[in-house]
Amino acid sequence: MSTLLSRTFTRLTTVAVLTGSVLAGAAALPATATTATTATTATATATTTASTTPAQARTQAPAVSESSELAPQSRADDAIAWFAARNGSTAYQGYCEKAVENAYGRTGVYASAIANWNDAVRRGAAHRGDLNPPKGALVFWNISSWGHVGLATGDGKFWATSVNGKIGKATLPYFSNYLGWAHPNF
């Protein structure tokens, strides 16, 4: 249950960050909303809920999608949300491997991106030159003696450090000497 709550909070936080909203209770309000507006909205919602009959509530309630809106997020979704929450940060410059490991809740698994890639090749898990990695796959480049790694979003884009000098999202291959992709081994 704790993991589900954490993932739901992560999803709500990411939605709030990406849409410029502030979370207040169960409602997302525009970032310009004041505390008074928040209190008024919460009171109005409670009053409306209390004064409606169950039949009215069914006809007035917004449609809730049966999709994954409240379903647990996958590890890939959590990792992508980790990067999205740090969009524009320079804190991980020179530490791309650490960034992808941290996005998956780990650290210290590989000494460098190229060590991670070489292990994927050794295990037979590397998809050399494939520019269509699935969501959550690690994408690799040979741009230095340490290599470079990012996180695929599944739509031909990826998150990584060093995108215009900061954490950012770009379209593959972006950097030169693209190696390919592999599923994370952590």
Side-chain angles (χ1 to χ4, degrees), residues 2 21 26 44 48 55 59 63 67-68 73 79 90 98-99 107 110 133 156 165 175 178 183:
S2 174
S21 301
T48 303
T59 59
S67 68
S68 63
Q73 288 181 214
T90 58
K98 182 177 183 179
T107 194
Y110 293 100
F175 303 107
Y178 178 72
H183 289 290

Side-chain angles (χ1 to χ4, degrees), residues 87-101:
N87 188 24
S89 171
T90 58
Y92 283 84
Q93 282 305 103
Y95 299 100
C96 59
E97 178 64 29
K98 182 177 183 179
V100 296
E101 289 181 13

Side-chain angles (χ1 to χ4, degrees), residues 14-98:
T14 301
V15 169
V17 168
L18 296 176
T19 61
S21 301
V22 175
L23 293 176
L29 303 173
T32 56
T34 64
T35 306
T37 304
T38 303
T40 304
T41 303
T43 304
T45 302
T47 304
T48 303
T49 305
S51 65
T52 58
T53 66
Q56 290 171 326
R58 280 193 299 276
T59 59
Q60 295 172 354
V64 175
S65 171
E66 290 291 327
S67 68
S68 63
E69 259 184 68
L70 297 177
Q73 288 181 214
S74 70
R75 289 183 67 226
D77 290 327
D78 288 343
I80 291 166
W82 184 94
F83 268 99
R86 288 156 181 81
N87 188 24
S89 171
T90 58
Y92 283 84
Q93 282 305 103
Y95 299 100
C96 59
E97 178 64 29
K98 182 177 183 179

